[in-house]
Amino acid sequence: VMLAVSQSDVFISISHPEVAGGSSAELGAAIMQHNQTSRPKIYMVGAYNKSVVFYFHPSVVKVSSISHLLRELKKGITNI
């Protein structure tokens, strides 16, 4: 997981009503990597984005839908 996260530019997590332990660990790894290198850019997609403390980290960008995520990613590409 850490190797994949450390080589990523973007980390996307899809929210679900039931939190899985693995997804929280991966998100924590992404946050740790982001704190060290300012990447990956981290997105939480969906309405169930309040059940885990990691979701409130300042590096996590919450978006409501995949279409909202795509708009955010497009903005990031045009700002490079």
Side-chain angles (χ1 to χ4, degrees):
V1 170
M2 280 306 297
L3 180 60
V5 169
S6 69
Q7 296 175 349
S8 299
D9 293 320
V10 177
F11 179 90
I12 300 168
S13 183
I14 308 294
S15 68
H16 188 273
E18 297 178 26
V19 177
S23 62
S24 296
E26 292 165 352
L27 179 57
I31 290 170
M32 183 179 78
Q33 182 68 26
H34 180 86
N35 286 343
Q36 294 173 351
T37 66
S38 297
R39 48 177 288 268
K41 182 76 172 171
I42 303 168
Y43 293 95
M44 170 59 59
V45 181
Y48 303 101
N49 60 18
K50 296 181 175 107
S51 57
V52 175
V53 70
F54 289 152
Y55 298 170
F56 296 94
H57 191 276
S59 64
V60 176
V61 177
K62 296 177 186 177
V63 294
S64 58
S65 65
I66 296 294
S67 58
H68 185 183
L69 170 67
L70 293 174
R71 285 193 302 273
E72 288 293 315
L73 292 173
K74 186 175 179 181
K75 279 196 296 190
I77 291 170
T78 58
N79 290 334
I80 295 175

